[in-house]
């Protein structure tokens, strides 16, 4: 599941607030120490935002997830998942966006963070997993790369057209929302 984490760091009021997907998860008013760590949880995962001093009365902000820096966590996610983003512009009312993730160790398939239970069928050279979303037929193909170091290659087709794999690092590096206010 993807989360948006926002931080408000009041440098004169000492207030620190953290929101996850728009829901307040931590509020501290009147903190006299403007640097340090704040711990919160997303589901069962422990997260820490660390505020460190930087030259010129500025601050640096770091996010740790499950004991790992954001960069290390993102790298781990890249090894564990494959991700595709697909927009169905032919949807009846408005374009429908799908985030399709495959967890590599369990082969669990998620569409917009919902676990799907789809049947895979053996085909020449690998497997195909077919599923329908609205009027779009998706086929998740798993094929041998022919190289033991590369392993299995996963390809997603939407109505027979390949969907480019999204880069998890790019998705998770969207602009971080850190609000620094003088209140």
């Amino acid at each position: 599941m993807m989360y948006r984490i926002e931080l408000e760091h009041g440098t004169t009021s000492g207030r620190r607030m953290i929101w996850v997907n728009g829901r307040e998860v931590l509020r501290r008013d009147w903190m006299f120490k403007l640097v340090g760590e704040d711990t919160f949880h997303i589901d069962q995962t422990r997260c820490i935002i660390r505020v460190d001093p930087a030259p010129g009365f500025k601050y640096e902000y770091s996010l740790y997830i499950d004991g790992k820096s954001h960069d290390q966590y993102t790298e781990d996610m890249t090894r564990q998942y494959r991700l595709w983003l697909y927009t169905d512009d032919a949807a009846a009312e408005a374009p429908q966006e799908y985030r399709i993730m495959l967890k590599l160790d369990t082969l669990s398939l998620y569409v917009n963070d919902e676990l799907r239970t789809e049947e895979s069928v053996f085909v020449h050279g690998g497997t195909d997993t077919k599923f329908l979303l609205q009027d779009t037929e998706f086929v998740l193909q798993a094929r041998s790369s022919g190289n033991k170091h590369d392993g299995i290659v996963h390809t997603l087709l939407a109505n027979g057209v390949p969907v480019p794999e999204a880069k998890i690092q790019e998705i998770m590096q969207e602009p971080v929302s850190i609000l620094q206010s003088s209140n």
Side-chain angles (χ1 to χ4, degrees):
M1 180 145 186
M2 303 286 276
Y3 296 94
R4 180 173 198 79
I5 300 170
E6 299 173 273
L7 166 70
E8 179 181 335
H9 180 214
T11 57
T12 56
S13 68
R15 176 174 34 191
R16 210 170 294 158
M17 296 176 65
I18 298 173
W19 295 272
V20 176
N21 291 346
R23 185 177 63 82
E24 183 180 307
V25 296
L26 184 129
R27 174 190 290 258
R28 294 189 185 190
D29 292 316
W30 308 110
M31 293 178 62
F32 294 105
K33 187 175 179 186
L34 296 177
V35 295
E37 295 182 350
D38 287 302
T39 302
F40 60 100
H41 288 82
I42 298 176
D43 296 328
Q44 302 301 317
T45 303
R46 182 173 179 248
C47 300
I48 296 171
I49 291 182
R50 192 164 88 199
V51 180
D52 292 311
F57 198 65
K58 295 182 180 181
Y59 300 93
E60 292 180 355
Y61 305 94
S62 305
L63 174 63
Y64 294 87
I65 306 162
D66 218 10
K68 300 173 187 166
S69 70
H70 182 263
D71 289 342
Q72 182 60 49
Y73 184 81
T74 302
E75 185 65 34
D76 289 351
M77 293 291 288
T78 300
R79 285 192 293 271
Q80 296 175 25
Y81 290 90
R82 293 293 174 262
L83 171 67
W84 297 270
L85 303 174
Y86 179 78
T87 302
D88 183 1
D89 293 323
E93 296 175 18
Q96 179 67 44
E97 294 183 358
Y98 299 108
R99 185 175 59 249
I100 300 163
M101 292 185 74
L102 175 67
K103 188 168 187 196
L104 296 174
D105 62 348
T106 61
L107 299 181
S108 299
L109 180 66
Y110 296 86
V111 176
N112 295 344
D113 301 322
E114 296 289 325
L115 178 63
R116 305 272 305 203
T117 53
E118 306 293 342
E119 295 284 327
S120 294
V121 295
F122 288 100
V123 296
H124 181 70
T127 62
D128 283 353
T129 305
K130 294 182 181 185
F131 56 101
L132 191 66
L133 299 172
Q134 300 292 337
D135 293 329
T136 305
E137 180 184 58
F138 290 91
V139 178
L140 179 59
Q141 297 177 330
R143 302 290 189 268
S144 171
S145 65
N147 180 333
K148 69 179 181 178
H149 295 290
D150 294 335
I152 297 175
V153 176
H154 296 91
T155 306
L156 182 69
L157 305 174
N159 291 330
V161 177
V163 177
E165 187 174 337
K167 302 286 186 216
I168 291 178
Q169 291 98 334
E170 292 173 13
I171 303 299
M172 292 182 71
Q173 295 296 333
E174 288 181 352
V176 177
S177 180
I178 297 178
L179 309 173
Q180 181 175 335
S181 68
S182 57
N183 310 8

